[in-house]
């Protein structure tokens, strides 16, 4: 289903700007502020079909967009002295000039008691409109602005807000497999402090949770054989996560301390048999905390060859950068999306660029200092790229970073969808 057909099914009147001038000839309006529709419903006269009335002396048009079970289309009603006019006597054309200069042309044909446009009024319903009508040999014309989901931000403000853009084009996307896992310290990030020879523990100088450095003396043990006391240093730098003995105990096989380096982490994911053949070393993975607020793009570094006897699962290791040690802690549950296949698509956008606008998934395009929503039909998605099937032109400049700033500015201006 296309984005337009997923909208609520109800006849809506096209929002028109206020301040139309009366009289024969072309009518023009002052453009409304960017970022929302040009006028609230209370600012203009509605017709019998809840549409926006355009008047030129005794002659008037009522403009509506109808979308009750169909893609949005123009339905236009004509009046003379507020009495319905036979649509067969009207010659009507409409131009919609969109941000970036693209123009949608509509011709009209009579149908029942109205004139029906010959095409779909594509989302977003944001454009400058030109209308030409002829009735009884007399021409009428109007022009107005009707903006939705559009705002203007200066280059300086956009830069300060971290707004970045790039051009939409081809990319490599693939299928995803989602799995659950947990964060663990890597084998290289774990060290055990053991007595070299059996003996009595004479001193222990570190406690649980203490940060220690490699080579730091952590314990002293008196050998049972030689009665010589020797020092035991830390094998790695890290944090004491286990303390298994006390002064006076006999040191033998059990480690005195266990040290973990919190910057050496990986996620261990449990691969079920149905996915075992699809998970490979080097595949891209998006690792997310269970809250969904913290995520990182990484890749599979190893798939262990042995399966767990009870669950029959394999374990896949995915690296977690040390810089994120504060967000991913050992023992935490995580989710992962594995990119198990890849293919080239003609048009894609960065997944991080996707935003919600009304009930659509959108990106914001940029033309000069103006930004506007584009409702998208989406295909395959990976943590990095999402395939675009419709709603965006190849080569369009769209916002990849800082899209929240654009959305917030549009929402602040009250961009409703009340036609």
């Amino acid at each position: 289903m296309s984005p337009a057909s997923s909208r609520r099914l109800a006849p809506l009147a096209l929002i028109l700007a206020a301040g139309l001038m009366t009289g024969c000839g072309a009518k023009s309006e002052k453009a409304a502020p960017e970022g929302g529709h040009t006028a609230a419903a209370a600012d203009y006269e509605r017709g019998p079909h809840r549409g926006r009335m355009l008047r030129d002396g005794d002659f008037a048009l009522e403009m509506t967009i109808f979308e009750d079970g169909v893609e949005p289309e123009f339905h236009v009603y004509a009046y003379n002295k507020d009495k319905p006019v036979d649509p067969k006597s009207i010659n009507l054309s409409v131009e919609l000039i969109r941000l970036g200069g693209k123009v949608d042309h509509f011709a009209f044909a009579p149908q029942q008691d109205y004139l029906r446009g010959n095409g779909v009024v594509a989302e977003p319903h944001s454009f400058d409109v030109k209308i030409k009508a002829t009735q009884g040999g007399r021409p009428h014309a109007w022009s107005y602005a009707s903006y939705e989901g559009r705002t203007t931000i200066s280059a300086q403000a956009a830069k300060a807000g971290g707004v970045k853009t790039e051009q939409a084009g081809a990319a490599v996307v693939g299928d995803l497999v989602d799995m659950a896992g947990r964060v663990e310290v890597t084998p290289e990030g774990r060290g055990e402090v053991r007595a070299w020879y059996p003996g009595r523990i004479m001193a222990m100088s570190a406690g649980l949770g203490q940060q220690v450095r490699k080579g730091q003396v952590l314990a002293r043990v008196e050998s049972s054989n030689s009665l010589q006391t020797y020092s035991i240093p830390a094998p790695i730098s890290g944090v004491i996560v286990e303390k298994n003995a006390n002064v006076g105990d006999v040191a033998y096989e059990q480690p005195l301390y266990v040290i973990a380096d919190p910057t050496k982490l990986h996620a261990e994911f449990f691969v079920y048999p149905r996915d075992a053949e699809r998970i490979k070393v080097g595949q891209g993975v998006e690792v997310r905390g269970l809250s969904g607020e913290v995520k990182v793009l990484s890749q599979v570094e190893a798939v262990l060859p042995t399966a767990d006897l009870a669950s029959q699962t394999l374990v896949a290791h995915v690296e977690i950068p040390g810089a994120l040690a504060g967000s991913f802690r050992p023992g935490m549950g995580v989710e992962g999306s594995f990119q198990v296949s890849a293919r080239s698509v003609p048009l894609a956008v960065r997944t991080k660029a996707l935003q919600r606008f009304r009930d659509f998934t959108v990106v914001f395009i940029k033309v000069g200092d103006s930004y506007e929503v584009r409702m998208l039909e989406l295909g395959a998605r990976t943590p990095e790229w999402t395939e675009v099937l419709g709603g965006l032109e190849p080569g369009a400049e769209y916002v990849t970073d800082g899209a929240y700033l654009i959305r917030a500015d549009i929402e602040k201006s009250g961009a409703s969808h009340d036609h």
Side-chain angles (χ1 to χ4, degrees), residues 263-322:
T263 67
K264 297 186 182 299
L265 301 175
H266 63 198
E268 295 183 358
F269 289 95
F270 314 111
V271 184
Y272 286 92
R274 66 176 179 270
D275 297 319
E277 296 301 320
R278 307 176 71 190
I279 304 303
K280 309 291 183 184
V281 173
Q283 288 174 341
V285 185
E286 182 185 66
V287 182
R288 302 178 297 275
L290 296 184
S291 67
E293 297 179 357
V294 181
K295 59 184 67 175
V296 62
L297 291 176
S298 188
Q299 62 181 20
V300 179
E301 58 182 0
V303 179
L304 301 188
T306 55
D308 180 80
L309 289 176
S311 65
Q312 291 297 293
T313 57
L314 300 177
V315 176
H317 289 180
V318 177
E319 180 186 4
I320 294 179

Side-chain angles (χ1 to χ4, degrees), residues 198-282:
R200 187 170 300 279
I201 302 173
M202 306 303 293
M204 298 186 73
S205 58
L208 277 174
Q210 182 177 332
Q211 183 82 35
V212 298
R213 65 184 185 278
K214 182 179 179 179
Q216 178 180 337
V217 174
L218 300 183
R220 299 177 67 81
V221 175
E222 181 185 77
S223 171
S224 298
N225 295 327
S226 66
L227 301 181
Q228 296 285 326
T229 300
Y230 61 91
S231 299
I232 306 175
I236 63 171
S237 297
V239 176
I240 302 293
V241 295
E242 290 184 27
K243 181 175 181 287
N244 301 314
N246 293 300
V247 174
D249 292 346
V250 175
Y252 188 49
E253 293 184 349
Q254 189 175 23
L256 308 182
Y257 294 106
V258 175
I259 303 171
D261 184 344
T263 67
K264 297 186 182 299
L265 301 175
H266 63 198
E268 295 183 358
F269 289 95
F270 314 111
V271 184
Y272 286 92
R274 66 176 179 270
D275 297 319
E277 296 301 320
R278 307 176 71 190
I279 304 303
K280 309 291 183 184
V281 173

